[in-house]
Amino acid sequence: MVTSSQGSVRSAVAIIAIAAIASILGTSTVSYAAPNLIANGNLEQPPERAIPRVGPTGNEVIFEFEGAKSFGRVIAYGEGAADSLSKELAVGYVQQPGGSRGLLIDAKEINFSGSYDIEVWFDLKGKIRPNKEYAYSVDCRATSQNSVPTLKMIAPAMWTDGRLSGAVVELSWTGDEQTLDDIVKRGTIKTPDFKHRTGGQALVLKLPTNFKSQLFFVTVGFREMDEALVEGKEQVMPNPTLYIPVVDILAERIEIAKSGAANILRMSQNPQTGAWPGTDVESSVQITAFAMHLLAVLDEDLSAAPMEKGVRWLAEQEITKTQAIATRIEFLCTHALNDNRQTIASDVLALLDAQYPDGGWSEYTGEYIKEDKTIQPDNVSTLAAVGALAIADQSGFEVDLRTWRQAAAYWRNAQAVDGGFRDKMDKYGGLGEATTTTQTAFGLSGLLITLDMAYATEARTCSQYLASSAHLEAMHKSFEWLSEYYDEYYKMLPDLNSGPNPFANANAMVGMCSLSGITSFRDKNIFRTEAEAVLQYYDQASGTFAGNLEASLASVSALIDGSKPIVIQRWIMGGTADHEFSRDAVHLCRYLGEQRGHDVSWRAVDLSLEIEELVRTPILYVNVEGEIEASDEEWGKLRDYCFGGGVIVFNIAEDNEAARSKLEQELRKPFPEFSCSTMKKDDPILSIKHDINEKMDMKVLGNGLKNFIFITPQDWSCHLNNYQLTDHAETFQFLDNLLLYTLDSSSPRGNFEASTWSRGAVPTKSTRISHLTVGTHNPMFPDFLKTLDRIMQTEYRLKIDPIPAEASSTKTELLWLSCAGSDVMTDRELEIVRNKIAEGSFVFAEVLTGNTSWAETFRSDLQKLGSDYRIRRLLANHPVMTGELYETYGYDVRVINVRTALKKDNEKLPRLEMYILEKGDKEVGIFTVHDVGSGLGYFLYPECKGAMPEWSRKIAANIVLYAMQQSLEEG
């Protein structure tokens, strides 16, 4: 349990520093844009303020947006100006009264007396070429009572042949132009001759020195001149819109802060004793246990001499304070159980003896609480105690039921009338305090822990753990309080200057999330909100938060817990609101974390969540507690979730067996192509890790490659809620197998990684594509073209017009041919392929799963197309591999990440085995013996020999663009 001081936080805020100005001209690019268009971001975004951070020299401030909203960055710099500029300069997306959206630079409030400069850096994500003319356009407008200043533009600012180059242009608005809305400065520049671009590239706009006004940018464009474009001809190929993977800036900031703070933690250890410093032995024990735990989570070897010395020191100390004892119990149970059972047992007894009659704990244990009657229970000490005793109980140190029932009563009695919590019970002086987010999160965590320990551990039936209506009502009230006041609780405080301790608050909220599965309140993601709150106190120069060790420990703890991958999401279908407090998912994550040696987490969801959010998590566990009711839209979302890579486990509650047959009927709505069947005894999911072949009698629904619907044979939530690991190990083992099966050796996705779901976009062009599956009668991927369409719209604003493969009267640019079995292609299927090629379609032929025997049959079938067809190996310099295509650019896929099964086959092959299909001397298709199609929907399963999903999508984009190129050449 995190038990940070509730005192005030240092007011001087050190903004996190991550990157220098030099890094803006870094060398990393992923792929190229179209030769006639250089993209630099969309400024017409919803209103949002940019995040400032101080650079490493301490003299510059960098303002950035996260993810897809990022156009580049705004840099303000001056000797000694960083602190002032970070607070007084505002940068953000805004909407003008007239309706225009764009980027606002607001420098009106800057009071810095020295000299400073402001620059706007627009990323150029395409390929700048030498000796080419480029057209620029800058739509820069005045705001009310302001005018547009003269700007210096460096276009493009780039590193070539090891030196910085760029044309400097002065943009000047004079007279009436300074206040008009429709004056766009345009012109052309020519790039110098160079051989290689050796660094990054940007378009830079420099504002006047000591600028103290406002400036509003609507669009900034930079385009390579093209004869067809100048003549007004339509662009024949689609332009890329997304070239560089979206990296969550917050995730980068977290990793840098964790790394820096970890180094400081290592340096703070006393090499003689192995301990960390504190004001006394009690605080030193608490800090030492906390520091070693965090270092262990960050992969520090606890068996190394310094850490081993610290563990010994920790176990030997005589301590009497509740929080120190609790922290030591948690550390030793988690990291050093076998060698320290006696110490743990002694500490557990000390806590048990220190419980007050009302169920709480005070700051002290032992004789102190008997001698000093002024010492009274408080919530922070009580939470520390129940958290430690819960871990001890789970580690074999049994805590009696009476202790838990008393502790549960304490938390109910400590709750304020409004549903929130204060630091103490009313009778101990809490009545005069305000309820706060921090204390309410602590109180709710206490209620959740004691729900488990006081009611679930002794439950005889599956529903007994939800039998205490008073306890459940208390939790409902706490959630209602947080739903109303989270991140705005300062409004409840009596002093307008009052504020939270951000470190305690972050730990309280993140800890509550892990226990409850609730990840947002008031439309604010708790993990992101709290991470941003503590990161503003991180000082990269010192590696500390707020300049002290305790704040650093608490901050790193919150960042680590908030970054835990969420591997399962749970939806309660039907039933009462009380079922939202079921402990099935939290107990499952406890088991899954133990199996993996690192913590994993879960979240509670319903189908109001957007599909791009749902697909972040690989398993959806649906506990059917009541009527099976879902709209057509919700069933459609479940279908998208499965074809987006997710799997669904439907659990039927023990008193709801009538729902079982209805569920199978309802599943026909989203999956009319498939039907439920009994799982085969040789299904790989039953033996991928735990061998449970003989214990499963489960209904499944899948496409022949992967089962994506599972219906449990009995009420598994009953087993999970009461952690019946001994009697029902197969329940836990199956779900462990399922997670491994679904991830296919890839790592679970963190909370701050971008969604794998492609959202699509407004298309500007279209192309016609047919899809045909051969080798089997199963439809496999009935939504294949729908998925490909969404990806191509996202990446190229290119719409896929699906054309039935049998339609011979409509020309298609591409026939995507998927082999999904060992059946020989029929004459009709061969005829379809011949006709498509004759009509001018390009063919891409793949073997789903990369099955070797299927590939051999498929290759033989393709050779039946005719004697004038032949197959030859595709070379690495082919445009499909390099991405250098006619009038556009794709992705360089010469070196890619492949699936585990393909790595095992040939570790020296970092790409797919691909061949050219020729008719006479003409390319008519590409054939690969490996899998591409499964990855388009992040469809992961074991033994698939193919590209990892992010690379499948890039290969698919290249194939579509190359097919369009071939069609143009035909025309």
Side-chain angles (χ1 to χ4, degrees):
M1 283 300 143
V2 175
T3 51
S4 297
S5 167
Q6 303 298 300
S8 61
V9 177
R10 192 177 72 170
S11 59
V13 178
I15 307 296
I16 182 172
I18 300 177
I21 291 179
S23 69
I24 295 166
L25 295 175
T27 59
S28 175
T29 56
V30 175
S31 61
Y32 303 113
N36 73 315
L37 176 67
I38 305 300
N40 54 15
N42 174 19
L43 302 182
E44 298 182 40
Q45 299 282 353
E48 181 177 328
R49 190 160 179 161
I51 301 169
R53 52 188 174 86
V54 176
T57 67
N59 290 321
E60 69 270 352
V61 182
I62 302 166
F63 296 81
E64 291 177 306
F65 294 95
E66 296 181 351
K69 295 180 180 179
S70 175
F71 66 87
R73 63 220 35 90
V74 173
I75 303 170
Y77 57 93
E79 186 71 31
D83 186 59
S84 178
L85 294 174
S86 65
K87 297 173 183 176
E88 297 162 0
L89 175 63
V91 175
Y93 293 121
V94 299
Q95 183 165 331
Q96 297 282 65
S100 297
R101 286 181 173 180
L103 178 73
L104 178 68
I105 312 295
D106 186 352
K108 297 197 313 297
E109 304 299 324
I110 295 179
N111 293 316
F112 182 67
S113 58
S115 179
Y116 62 87
D117 287 279
I118 301 172
E119 299 175 355
V120 189
W121 289 65
F122 292 92
D123 289 339
L124 299 181
K125 298 177 182 177
K127 183 179 181 180
I128 301 292
R129 302 195 290 182
N131 298 312
K132 292 289 182 181
E133 276 202 87
Y134 286 80
Y136 63 82
S137 62
V138 179
D139 187 345
C140 182
R141 304 180 184 180
T143 59
S144 177
Q145 298 179 347
N146 290 285
S147 59
V148 181
T150 297
L151 305 177
K152 284 187 177 180
M153 180 179 71
I154 306 174
M158 60 188 297
W159 284 93
T160 58
D161 301 327
R163 65 179 183 274
L164 184 63
S165 63
V168 179
V169 180
E170 190 171 87
L171 305 179
S172 179
W173 285 260
T174 59
D176 292 339
E177 289 182 348
Q178 292 182 320
T179 55
L180 293 177
D181 283 348
D182 57 354
I183 300 299
V184 180
K185 287 297 176 183
R186 295 184 173 90
T188 62
I189 60 100
K190 186 175 182 180
T191 55
D193 184 35
F194 62 87
K195 292 183 178 179
H196 304 288
R197 182 165 64 84
T198 54
Q201 53 192 24
L203 184 149
V204 182
L205 294 172
K206 303 184 71 169
L207 278 64
T209 297
N210 295 335
F211 179 73
K212 289 185 183 289
S213 187
Q214 291 179 322
L215 202 53
F216 182 63
F217 294 96
V218 180
T219 58
V220 175
F222 195 70
R223 183 184 298 264
E224 182 177 321
M225 299 297 288
D226 181 270
E227 290 183 6
L229 190 68
V230 171
E231 295 171 7
K233 294 180 181 178
E234 182 183 359
Q235 187 69 18
V236 294
M237 290 290 283
N239 294 312
T241 58
L242 234 168
Y243 319 100
I244 298 177
V246 175
V247 177
D248 196 314
I249 294 172
L250 185 59
E252 291 185 351
R253 296 171 67 194
I254 288 171
E255 290 308 310
I256 290 172
K258 280 161 50 178
S259 176
N263 288 332
I264 294 301
L265 291 183
R266 295 184 187 97
M267 294 168 57
S268 302
Q269 186 183 23
N270 186 319
Q272 279 72 43
T273 65
W276 272 258
T279 55
D280 54 26
V281 69
E282 303 275 357
S283 65
S284 186
V285 163
Q286 194 173 352
I287 292 172
T288 297
F290 209 171
M292 286 196 297
H293 167 71
L294 295 179
L295 288 173
V297 172
L298 294 170
D299 296 325
E300 192 80 10
D301 183 4
L302 289 181
S303 65
M307 297 295 108
E308 194 175 47
K309 187 181 291 186
V311 175
R312 285 199 306 271
W313 179 91
L314 184 69
E316 293 169 356
Q317 303 311 301
E318 294 184 6
I319 50 179
T320 58
K321 285 191 175 181
T322 299
Q323 293 185 42
I325 292 173
T327 310
R328 180 163 71 179
I329 288 174
E330 292 192 26
F331 175 81
L332 294 179
C333 283
T334 304
H335 300 288
L337 177 63
N338 292 332
D339 295 334
N340 295 282
R341 289 186 175 274
Q342 187 172 346
T343 300
I344 297 169
S346 177
D347 282 348
V348 169
L349 286 174
L351 288 183
L352 293 176
D353 289 342
Q355 188 180 29
Y356 283 70
D358 59 16
W361 277 262
S362 69
E363 182 183 1
Y364 289 96
T365 65
E367 296 301 319
Y368 289 96
I369 62 176
K370 298 176 183 177
E371 296 172 357
D372 189 345
K373 299 303 181 183
T374 63
I375 300 175
Q376 298 167 332
D378 63 82
N379 292 355
V380 174
S381 298
T382 301
L383 183 59
V386 297
L389 290 175
I391 289 178
D393 193 287
Q394 294 163 5
S395 302
F397 301 87
E398 188 173 347
V399 177
D400 63 278
L401 184 60
R402 181 173 176 273
T403 297
W404 291 121
R405 292 285 168 88
Q406 284 182 308
Y410 172 89
W411 288 112
R412 294 195 298 271
N413 294 330
Q415 189 173 34
V417 175
D418 66 0
F421 281 81
R422 306 180 176 96
D423 183 45
K424 297 177 180 179
M425 279 187 177
D426 289 353
K427 67 180 181 180
Y428 297 132
L431 191 59
E433 301 173 354
T435 49
T436 68
T437 297
T438 303
Q439 291 300 332
T440 302
F442 281 156
L444 185 49
S445 294
L447 288 168
L448 288 162
I449 293 171
T450 53
L451 171 68
D452 268 347
M453 307 308 296
Y455 302 104
T457 54
E458 295 295 319
R460 294 290 179 267
T461 66
C462 297
S463 58
Q464 277 186 337
Y465 69 96
L466 292 179
S468 175
S469 58
H471 209 80
L472 300 178
E473 183 182 357
M475 289 191 287
H476 281 300
K477 289 174 65 178
S478 290
F479 278 120
E480 288 168 4
W481 191 98
L482 286 168
S483 295
E484 186 171 359
Y485 296 116
Y486 172 60
D487 210 35
E488 289 202 359
Y489 57 88
Y490 56 85
K491 294 179 180 178
M492 302 282 293
L493 301 179
D495 181 356
L496 291 177
N497 294 320
S498 298
N501 176 326
F503 314 115
N505 194 70
N507 277 274
M509 290 302 302
V510 171
M512 184 277 299
C513 287
S514 297
L515 290 168
S516 69
I518 303 297
T519 57
S520 67
F521 288 113
R522 300 175 57 80
D523 295 325
K524 295 183 178 182
N525 182 283
I526 295 168
F527 299 130
R528 299 190 68 87
T529 301
E530 299 305 332
E532 289 166 353
V534 298
L535 281 171
Q536 65 178 318
Y537 293 90
Y538 178 66
D539 175 24
Q540 189 170 10
S542 67
T544 65
F545 289 78
N548 75 70
L549 186 59
E550 252 189 312
S552 298
L553 287 168
S555 298
V556 173
S557 176
L559 295 176
I560 288 174
D561 286 348
S563 300
K564 287 186 300 190
I566 295 177
V567 298
I568 187 167
Q569 50 199 350
R570 189 202 62 201
W571 174 36
I572 304 293
M573 180 182 275
T576 67
D578 290 345
H579 286 109
E580 297 295 337
F581 299 126
S582 299
R583 313 306 295 144
D584 42 20
V586 72
H587 289 167
L588 174 60
C589 283
R590 169 186 160 192
Y591 173 80
L592 295 175
E594 289 172 352
Q595 291 293 306
R596 280 154 183 74
H598 60 80
D599 287 344
V600 296
S601 194
W602 70 288
R603 64 177 176 176
V605 299
D606 59 38
L607 293 190
S608 65
L609 202 65
E610 295 294 331
I611 183 64
E612 55 263 31
E613 280 299 314
L614 283 172
V615 298
R616 289 176 182 270
T617 304
I619 300 174
L620 173 61
Y621 182 86
V622 182
N623 194 8
V624 183
E625 290 281 359
E627 288 296 320
I628 298 177
E629 294 180 345
S631 66
D632 291 344
E633 181 183 357
E634 289 173 330
W635 284 122
K637 195 173 287 188
L638 291 179
R639 177 186 176 98
D640 286 342
Y641 176 73
C642 291
F643 285 118
V647 297
I648 305 175
V649 178
F650 282 97
N651 179 74
I652 309 296
E654 63 179 352
D655 54 356
N656 197 29
E657 278 296 316
R660 191 174 296 278
S661 59
K662 184 179 180 182
L663 175 61
E664 291 190 35
Q665 294 174 2
E666 290 294 302
L667 285 172
R668 294 174 187 169
K669 292 180 180 178
F671 301 105
E673 307 91 346
F674 311 108
S675 59
C676 291
S677 61
T678 301
M679 178 185 284
K680 296 178 181 179
K681 293 298 182 183
D682 62 349
D683 193 302
I685 201 172
L686 299 177
S687 57
I688 189 172
K689 180 179 178 182
H690 308 280
D691 191 353
I692 49 177
N693 297 58
E694 304 303 319
K695 299 179 181 179
M696 287 293 126
D697 183 20
M698 180 179 293
K699 288 293 186 72
V700 296
L701 183 150
N703 66 350
L705 303 182
K706 173 183 179 179
N707 289 322
F708 38 78
I709 299 287
F710 301 86
I711 305 175
T712 64
Q714 54 184 295
D715 188 355
W716 280 8
S717 280
C718 175
H719 310 158
L720 297 170
N721 277 315
N722 301 334
Y723 207 70
Q724 297 173 355
L725 187 56
T726 301
D727 296 336
H728 295 285
E730 71 280 358
T731 296
F732 296 84
Q733 291 170 348
F734 177 87
L735 291 164
D736 188 26
N737 280 6
L738 180 61
L739 180 57
L740 188 64
Y741 173 91
T742 304
L743 294 173
D744 189 23
S745 302
S746 62
S747 299
R749 300 182 66 78
N751 289 335
F752 303 110
E753 292 186 66
S755 173
T756 59
W757 186 261
S758 299
R759 293 185 60 105
V762 177
T764 57
K765 292 189 173 300
S766 64
T767 188
R768 293 157 298 189
I769 298 180
S770 298
H771 182 233
L772 180 64
T773 301
V774 300
T776 181
H777 297 293
N778 293 333
M780 294 297 175
F781 292 109
D783 290 359
F784 177 84
L785 289 179
K786 177 182 174 183
T787 303
L788 182 61
D789 174 53
R790 198 175 61 251
I791 292 169
M792 294 307 297
Q793 285 194 44
T794 300
E795 301 288 328
Y796 287 86
R797 300 184 72 177
L798 177 68
K799 184 179 185 299
I800 303 299
D801 289 332
I803 304 296
E806 297 81 5
S808 58
S809 59
T810 305
K811 179 186 174 183
T812 56
E813 280 73 49
L814 175 65
L815 170 64
W816 191 296
L817 190 60
S818 297
C819 173
S822 58
D823 293 352
V824 174
M825 286 178 67
T826 65
D827 291 342
R828 175 60 180 153
E829 289 168 343
L830 286 169
E831 189 64 22
I832 288 173
V833 177
R834 289 193 194 98
N835 288 341
K836 287 296 180 185
I837 293 174
E839 293 167 2
S841 286
F842 192 77
V843 175
F844 178 67
E846 63 163 341
V847 179
L848 293 174
T849 78
N851 183 289
T852 304
S853 62
W854 297 0
E856 291 175 358
T857 303
F858 193 36
R859 186 196 297 264
S860 298
D861 287 341
L862 292 176
Q863 291 172 336
K864 295 176 186 176
L865 289 171
S867 58
D868 52 347
Y869 285 86
R870 73 185 184 103
I871 295 174
R872 63 175 174 84
R873 187 174 290 277
L874 181 145
L875 301 178
N877 64 353
H878 191 280
V880 164
M881 304 300 289
T882 64
E884 297 186 4
L885 301 163
Y886 172 72
E887 286 299 323
T888 192
Y889 274 82
Y891 295 96
D892 187 336
V893 295
R894 286 172 290 185
V895 178
I896 66 174
N897 291 329
V898 297
R899 307 246 185 141
T900 303
L902 187 52
K903 283 181 182 176
K904 291 178 181 177
D905 265 12
N906 189 347
E907 294 184 2
K908 294 182 179 179
L909 180 67
R911 60 178 180 268
L912 304 188
E913 186 178 337
M914 301 182 81
Y915 301 86
I916 293 291
L917 178 65
E918 289 183 331
K919 182 180 181 183
D921 58 354
K922 177 187 171 186
E923 287 186 16
V924 294
I926 289 176
F927 166 59
T928 177
V929 300
H930 296 133
D931 187 303
V932 175
S934 294
L936 298 193
Y938 267 77
F939 210 72
L940 293 168
Y941 53 96
E943 301 308 315
C944 177
K945 298 174 183 177
M948 289 300 288
E950 60 270 26
W951 290 99
S952 288
R953 293 178 171 191
K954 293 175 181 179
I955 293 168
N958 285 5
I959 293 294
V960 171
L961 296 172
Y962 189 66
M964 292 180 69
Q965 173 180 310
Q966 297 297 91
S967 179
L968 287 171
E969 291 177 357
E970 276 289 312

